[in-house]
Amino acid sequence: MSAMNDLNLQLKEREEFYHRMAQEAVEGLKTIQAVRQQLTGNNNETVNEKPKHNPTQDKVRIRQLLAKKCQEGYTDQVKELLHKFGSEKLSEIDPKDYEDLYYSAEGIGQ
């Protein structure tokens, strides 16, 4: 049974690695497109405009961070943090609170 747990853990780690790589590839493509847009002078965005967040990607990043903190032994602090945001689980938290939650979670264990 332990071998199955080890295999499951290895698969999960590999899955998370590929997911991060895919996210980095998407971000890289966005950067390339932005640079091309700047070079061609087709920049229609206002300089002071905030970048638009993708709640789905934000939720994935927060989930990964919270999972990492739990693996590091901070499960109680993660649960407490979720309670501060009025929830027992991430899926119940309002997407407008994702940024605050992420930065709060980064501070766990430091």
Side-chain angles (χ1 to χ4, degrees):
M1 192 63 159
S2 179
M4 288 297 285
N5 289 338
D6 290 343
L7 179 59
N8 189 34
L9 180 60
Q10 290 174 356
L11 289 172
K12 185 176 181 178
E13 289 173 350
R14 183 62 53 117
E15 183 179 55
E16 290 172 357
F17 170 79
Y18 285 121
H19 184 74
R20 283 192 307 273
M21 294 299 292
Q23 287 177 329
E24 289 177 18
V26 168
E27 293 301 318
L29 287 173
K30 286 180 183 177
T31 302
I32 289 170
Q33 290 170 346
V35 169
R36 279 198 178 129
Q37 196 172 32
Q38 288 281 337
L39 291 174
T40 59
N42 294 331
N43 188 7
N44 297 328
E45 293 183 38
T46 309
V47 174
N48 294 329
E49 187 177 39
K50 286 186 175 181
K52 302 200 177 12
H53 292 282
N54 180 332
T56 304
Q57 285 181 341
D58 292 346
K59 189 174 186 179
V60 169
R61 289 182 182 138
I62 293 167
R63 187 176 307 280
Q64 289 173 341
L65 178 60
L66 294 177
K68 179 182 173 192
K69 294 296 181 178
C70 286
Q71 289 174 349
E72 292 173 354
Y74 300 109
T75 304
D76 292 338
Q77 290 89 335
V78 168
K79 288 181 182 180
E80 183 179 321
L81 180 61
L82 290 173
H83 285 266
K84 285 182 184 178
F85 282 85
S87 178
E88 297 261 334
K89 48 188 174 177
L90 180 58
S91 61
E92 296 173 351
I93 293 180
D94 190 337
K96 69 179 173 76
D97 293 328
Y98 285 171
E99 185 176 2
D100 291 336
L101 175 61
Y102 184 85
Y103 289 119
S104 296
E106 277 189 325
I108 292 176
Q110 294 187 11

